[in-house]
Amino acid sequence: MKVAERITLASPVLNGNEREYVLDCIDTGWISANGKYVTKFEEKFAEFCDVKHALSCANGTVAIHLPLLAYGVGQGDEIIIPTFTYIATANAVKYCGATPVLVDCENDSWNIDPKKMEEKITPKTKGIIVVHLYGHPVDMDPIMEIAQKHNLFVIEDAAEAHGAEYNGKVVGSIGDVGTFSFFGNKVISTGEGGMITTNNSELAEKMRLLRGQAMDPKKRYWFNEVGYNYRMTNLQAAVGLGQLENIDWHLGQRRRVAESYIVKLSQFNDVFTLQPEMPWAKHTYWMVSILLADKVKASRDEIMALLEADGIETRPLFYPMHQMPPYYEEHSNYPVADQISSRGFNIPTNATLTDEQIDYICSRLVFHCNNNL
Ligand SMILES: *Cc1c(COP(=O)(O)O)cnc(C)c1O
């Protein structure tokens, strides 16, 4: 069987009011970083995350940089992060002149392992950034306990996890700060864009200041410190509002796709497993991920190449930070991240996948794995 078109991993679906809102920006001339869509998008996102403040910004990387700046993180400081994440988490720490201190991940959730965290805390540690990887929430209670004990702030990098829940609490509302990305392949998109959530009004005020070049709110064109231009435009927010109005649909489609994979693939857990959903978690399945068992003799890259030849796009799981030049560690000890990263890949999880496409992907995946034992 051969499908006519390549099945893509992820693609945005703009099927709500996005077009109408963008045209309104163009018709009224409100295309820059002020305007009613910025305000509405922020208000609605705060409501969605059950927090007091939501601040839009240029992308999901600066959404992490801003709270670090607001906390005064700088040279000599250390920030705990998972080694198994997208590089933006580490880079945002580096932008401040601080050092990301890496922690291995758990075998079950694939997220940062709280049991391996405390040994990494030193007098220089200022905070923790956790990452809700691929849409699966982090086990937050033990992390909040550690943070309280050592007086550290907690930032939730929820770039991949809009709407995910931990024990019924939506991510972005559990730590001190939550950060989100609206890049084109994320659960909802604004093209490029980001959002910061917090209940801390003082911190929100500081981040708002830094986001707009730190212009004195009481004296126009007067600056008391170095700020940044990290704003989102009204055009992006118009797309974002249209997407957010439909987020239940977007999340519902991802769950439909993921559940279909689970039903069809769980019986093959001798050759591969899926990223599990922990009992306390509501996984949002930004990406459905496959982990090859040892008995599959082909490499991960070989299986991915076979699927590509079938017209199925896949992508490798993230390389852990400690393997790559900017954050390389000579004598590293992150066995779980090394193992998952080397044997795992994401399969198409976009909202428009049909049952027929899912069947095709499953049958090719099972075929290639069983053919390479
Ligand atoms: C996408 C992503 C980011 C960064 O978002 P951008 O909008 O691309 O800057 C940060 N952290 C994680 C875990 C991500 O997946």
Side-chain angles (χ1 to χ4, degrees):
M1 174 178 159
K2 194 81 192 158
V3 286
E5 262 173 72
R6 185 162 175 264
I7 304 173
T8 58
L9 193 80
S11 34
V13 182
L14 304 156
N15 57 357
N17 292 324
E18 294 88 346
R19 169 187 288 266
E20 181 195 326
Y21 295 162
V22 168
L23 289 177
D24 182 35
C25 294
I26 290 170
D27 291 342
T28 58
W30 287 92
I31 58 169
S32 199
N34 284 308
K36 67 178 180 192
Y37 292 110
V38 173
T39 314
K40 278 190 190 171
F41 186 35
E42 290 181 338
E43 282 170 3
K44 203 168 167 67
F45 203 84
E47 203 179 300
F48 174 70
C49 286
D50 194 23
V51 292
K52 274 197 217 146
H53 309 279
L55 279 85
S56 61
C57 56
N59 57 60
T61 309
V62 307
I64 308 169
H65 192 199
L66 274 173
L68 291 173
L69 291 166
Y71 276 118
V73 171
Q75 201 87 38
D77 293 338
E78 294 177 354
I79 305 295
I80 302 270
I81 70 165
T83 189
F84 192 34
T85 181
Y86 179 57
I87 198 155
T89 321
N91 284 350
V93 175
K94 205 75 171 175
Y95 298 162
C96 301
T99 306
V101 173
L102 309 177
V103 174
D104 203 2
C105 57
E106 299 181 309
N107 243 323
D108 43 18
S109 76
W110 301 8
N111 282 322
I112 193 165
D113 189 341
K115 294 184 295 304
K116 294 178 182 164
M117 192 179 277
E118 238 172 334
E119 67 197 55
K120 296 277 185 152
I121 294 172
T122 75
K124 293 177 178 171
T125 311
K126 289 284 146 61
I128 301 166
I129 308 178
V130 299
V131 181
H132 305 296
L133 208 64
Y134 299 121
H136 191 293
V138 169
D139 190 4
M140 290 302 291
D141 282 348
I143 285 163
M144 296 313 289
E145 242 170 70
I146 292 168
Q148 205 152 36
K149 184 169 150 200
H150 297 273
N151 196 25
L152 307 173
F153 63 77
V154 176
I155 297 175
E156 296 174 68
D157 179 350
E160 307 178 353
H162 320 63
E165 288 175 20
Y166 172 71
N167 283 329
K169 281 186 93 172
V170 67
V171 301
S173 71
I174 306 163
D176 298 288
V177 179
T179 69
F180 295 82
S181 166
F182 304 116
F183 181 64
N185 68 8
K186 299 288 159 89
V187 171
I188 57 169
S189 181
T190 60
E192 296 272 7
M195 193 74 83
I196 307 166
T197 54
T198 186
N199 284 311
N200 182 333
S201 303
E202 204 183 316
L203 197 75
E205 210 44 56
K206 180 80 196 182
M207 293 191 290
R208 199 167 280 127
L209 186 76
L210 291 170
R211 179 181 66 176
Q213 301 283 28
M215 182 153 76
D216 190 329
K218 294 189 202 77
K219 191 171 173 182
R220 287 172 67 208
Y221 295 96
W222 182 264
F223 305 90
N224 289 305
E225 59 184 309
V226 176
Y228 299 78
N229 177 359
Y230 278 176
R231 296 176 297 246
M232 174 183 275
T233 67
N234 202 44
L235 278 170
Q236 291 166 300
V239 176
L241 182 65
Q243 293 267 284
L244 186 56
E245 287 170 349
N246 267 346
I247 195 156
D248 289 343
W249 180 86
H250 290 280
L251 291 172
Q253 289 304 309
R254 272 171 201 277
R255 187 153 275 277
R256 169 186 68 81
V257 168
E259 280 176 353
S260 182
Y261 278 131
I262 291 165
V263 166
K264 296 188 171 91
L265 295 178
S266 295
Q267 55 187 308
F268 301 103
N269 62 9
D270 58 323
V271 284
F272 54 73
T273 50
L274 298 153
Q275 182 188 19
E277 186 177 33
M278 300 299 283
W280 37 259
K282 186 173 149 205
H283 195 332
T284 48
Y285 299 103
W286 172 52
M287 293 275 169
V288 173
S289 311
I290 296 286
L291 190 60
L292 297 174
D294 290 344
K295 84 191 249 202
V296 177
K297 294 299 173 234
S299 72
R300 180 266 313 272
D301 292 355
E302 283 163 349
I303 297 290
M304 285 173 53
L306 291 166
L307 290 166
E308 185 63 47
D310 289 333
I312 299 165
E313 184 186 14
T314 59
R315 110 182 174 173
L317 297 190
F318 298 126
Y319 295 97
M321 296 303 108
H322 66 268
Q323 292 182 8
M324 296 187 285
Y327 304 103
Y328 185 72
E329 289 182 21
E330 182 81 48
H331 303 288
S332 64
N333 183 24
Y334 307 99
V336 183
D338 285 336
Q339 159 69 13
I340 293 175
S341 163
S342 66
R343 296 291 282 170
F345 59 95
N346 308 117
I347 56 176
T349 321
N350 70 71
T352 55
L353 284 181
T354 64
D355 290 342
E356 198 191 3
Q357 287 175 318
I358 295 171
D359 279 342
Y360 173 69
I361 293 164
C362 291
S363 73
R364 297 314 293 164
L365 178 62
V366 170
F367 173 80
H368 292 310
C369 287
N370 280 324
N371 214 22
N372 281 282
L373 298 178

